[in-house]
Amino acid sequence: MTNLSDGGTMEIAQKTLLAKTSRLPAFGPFDVLFALILAAGAAYALHAFGEYMDIYERAILVCTVPAAAAFGWYWKPMRVFLLACAAVALIAVGLYQGQLVRADEVFLLKYFVSSQTAIMWMSATVFLSTAAYWLGMLARSTFFERSGTVLAWIAAGAGFTGMLVRWYESYLIGTDVGHIPVSNLYEVFVLFTVLTTLMYLFYESRYATRRMGAFVMLVISAAVGFLLWYSFSRDAHEIQPLIPALQSYWMKIHVPANFIGYGAFAMSAMVGAAYLLASKGILTSRLPSLQVLDDVMYRAISIGFAFFTIATILGALWAAEAWGTYWQWDPKETWALIVWLNYATWLHMRLTKGLRGAVLAWWALIGLLVTTFAFLGVNMYLSGLHSYGSL
């Protein structure tokens, strides 16, 4: 067990850091305006598209408003991000004029804001952001570090806008085809990229350091690499109708909750890798302190564990409705339980046993391998009730 506290100075510094990152922001007039804009948008969506929604989908939409407003208050940049993505998506919707064929005819759609083009921009800027963060860290360049941040924001915005436009495009194909774009590997890898990038940017702003970006963006780049391979080798970007097993309102909340968990676990693993290098004297002067890395790793796993727990419960409720039982020891369910137990034990060892340092960093890094197998490996090598997600 490694004790990170080295005398009273370290303990005071750590407490000061925790107090700073936990402080709630002030509530101002722009927060009220943001909430009103969200409410107006939800009201318009209910008026224009309410006939296509069941009562559960309407409830999800309504509940999204206070949740997004609260998050926008807690993290101010999210207000600009959401409004900008919504504005660009609305421009794209207007350019389509109800005809999907215009995606290849209108300049802005073809090269910028159709779903596939926006996702390609996301992919390119993720790679560029990763390179900028690494250049910034190795060359100690503030310019490249800031460029990495800007490019990461652009990547997240392009990906989220692409998802919103893809949602609309699916309805242009047919009302029976239209669905929220979280139904296959292609779509959920876009979701993973957006969520994990935003999660990293949140911690970057909270801890006022860009020095974790080089490591966290690596795992996001790996996800984008898989996304591109999967898209070009399987034509996965083509919008397909939902299979009956996925035609449920549960999918709209179960999948995003799951991928907040996956993104948080991936981020914690990369922060753990940075911790291990810094603890060995490698890149020590170019990385945040061990205290910061340890705290970010802990907070990411805590958030991931909370959302993964919620997703598992939602999945059980969905299973009860679809298959008549909450749990069947399907390979996907079994490995989800393994992932849950892994991080539950991680948190238990830290919170009740006081474990710190390299052991937990290695644990977080290995945990990513377990999580990756639970998500991809099960689809590739095992079969069961979740086989509709296979490669």
Side-chain angles (χ1 to χ4, degrees):
M1 179 173 67
T2 302
N3 187 357
L4 293 179
S5 297
D6 185 13
T9 304
M10 283 293 187
E11 185 176 353
I12 292 172
Q14 180 72 348
K15 288 181 178 179
T16 302
L17 173 65
L18 292 175
K20 180 180 178 181
T21 56
S22 302
R23 190 178 302 137
L24 292 177
F27 189 82
F30 288 107
D31 297 296
V32 176
L33 178 61
F34 177 63
L36 291 175
I37 293 173
L38 289 175
Y44 171 77
L46 286 172
H47 173 74
F49 308 109
E51 62 183 294
Y52 301 111
M53 305 178 187
D54 59 30
I55 187 172
Y56 300 103
E57 291 167 330
R58 294 191 190 103
I60 293 170
L61 177 61
V62 170
C63 291
T64 299
V65 172
F71 195 40
W73 160 64
Y74 185 68
W75 188 30
K76 306 298 186 183
M78 183 53 64
R79 300 176 306 183
V80 178
F81 175 83
L82 290 176
L83 292 177
C85 291
V88 176
L90 286 173
I91 291 172
V93 168
L95 290 173
Y96 271 109
Q97 297 181 1
Q99 301 177 51
L100 190 58
V101 68
R102 288 175 61 84
D104 295 321
E105 298 174 349
V106 179
F107 179 83
L108 285 177
L109 288 174
K110 185 175 183 178
Y111 294 105
F112 291 99
V113 292
S114 69
S115 67
Q116 183 60 14
T117 304
I119 290 168
M120 289 301 103
W121 279 111
M122 176 202 77
S123 303
T125 47
V126 162
F127 292 138
L128 291 173
S129 175
T130 305
Y133 274 120
W134 274 99
L135 285 171
M137 182 181 69
L138 296 176
R140 302 179 189 273
S141 169
T142 302
F143 170 77
F144 280 116
E145 286 184 342
R146 289 177 177 172
S147 298
T149 298
V150 171
L151 288 165
W153 275 111
I154 293 173
F160 188 55
T161 301
M163 293 184 70
L164 292 175
V165 177
R166 184 179 176 88
W167 197 346
Y168 174 74
E169 289 172 351
S170 70
Y171 278 94
L172 289 182
I173 296 173
T175 55
D176 57 331
V177 176
H179 61 272
I180 185 172
V182 293
S183 65
N184 58 36
L185 279 177
Y186 175 83
E187 293 170 349
V188 297
F189 264 89
V190 177
L191 178 66
F192 172 88
T193 300
V194 172
L195 290 177
T196 311
T197 302
L198 288 175
M199 197 176 309
Y200 164 71
L201 289 169
F202 171 79
Y203 282 107
E204 178 182 278
S205 65
R206 286 290 160 179
Y207 286 85
T209 177
R210 296 184 172 93
R211 296 183 177 183
M212 298 178 291
F215 286 86
V216 177
M217 292 304 293
L218 273 180
V219 74
I220 299 173
S221 290
V224 169
F226 176 88
L227 172 71
L228 294 176
W229 168 81
Y230 192 57
S231 176
F232 293 129
S233 67
R234 307 294 179 88
D235 291 327
H237 61 280
E238 299 292 340
I239 299 174
Q240 301 293 335
L242 285 178
I243 63 173
L246 296 178
Q247 294 175 4
S248 171
Y249 56 86
W250 289 109
M251 182 183 70
K252 299 173 177 64
I253 49 179
H254 168 70
V255 175
N258 231 341
F259 277 84
I260 293 175
Y262 285 146
F265 297 151
M267 177 178 162
S268 70
M270 301 313 293
V271 174
Y275 181 98
L276 290 170
L277 289 176
S279 67
K280 296 295 184 181
I282 303 172
L283 300 176
T284 302
S285 63
R286 291 175 168 84
L287 288 169
S289 68
L290 293 179
Q291 288 76 26
V292 169
L293 293 171
D294 179 81
D295 194 56
V296 173
M297 184 168 55
Y298 161 65
R299 290 182 181 228
I301 286 180
S302 297
I303 291 293
F305 181 75
F307 276 93
F308 195 78
T309 300
I310 293 170
T312 302
I313 294 171
L314 293 173
L317 294 172
W318 186 2
E321 180 180 284
W323 302 321
T325 180
Y326 292 99
W327 198 269
Q328 293 207 26
W329 294 105
D330 173 78
K332 197 77 169 181
E333 294 173 340
T334 303
W335 274 93
L337 178 61
I338 292 171
V339 171
W340 188 89
L341 289 173
N342 174 67
Y343 289 106
T345 308
W346 192 101
L347 290 169
H348 171 77
M349 295 302 292
R350 179 186 167 94
L351 295 174
T352 66
K353 302 299 182 182
L355 190 63
R356 296 287 191 279
V359 173
L360 289 186
W362 274 113
W363 195 334
L365 194 56
I366 295 170
L368 179 59
L369 300 179
V370 176
T371 304
T372 301
F373 184 82
F375 174 51
L376 282 180
V378 170
N379 297 52
M380 294 171 66
Y381 302 113
L382 303 175
S383 62
L385 293 172
H386 289 81
S387 294
Y388 49 77
S390 64
L391 291 173

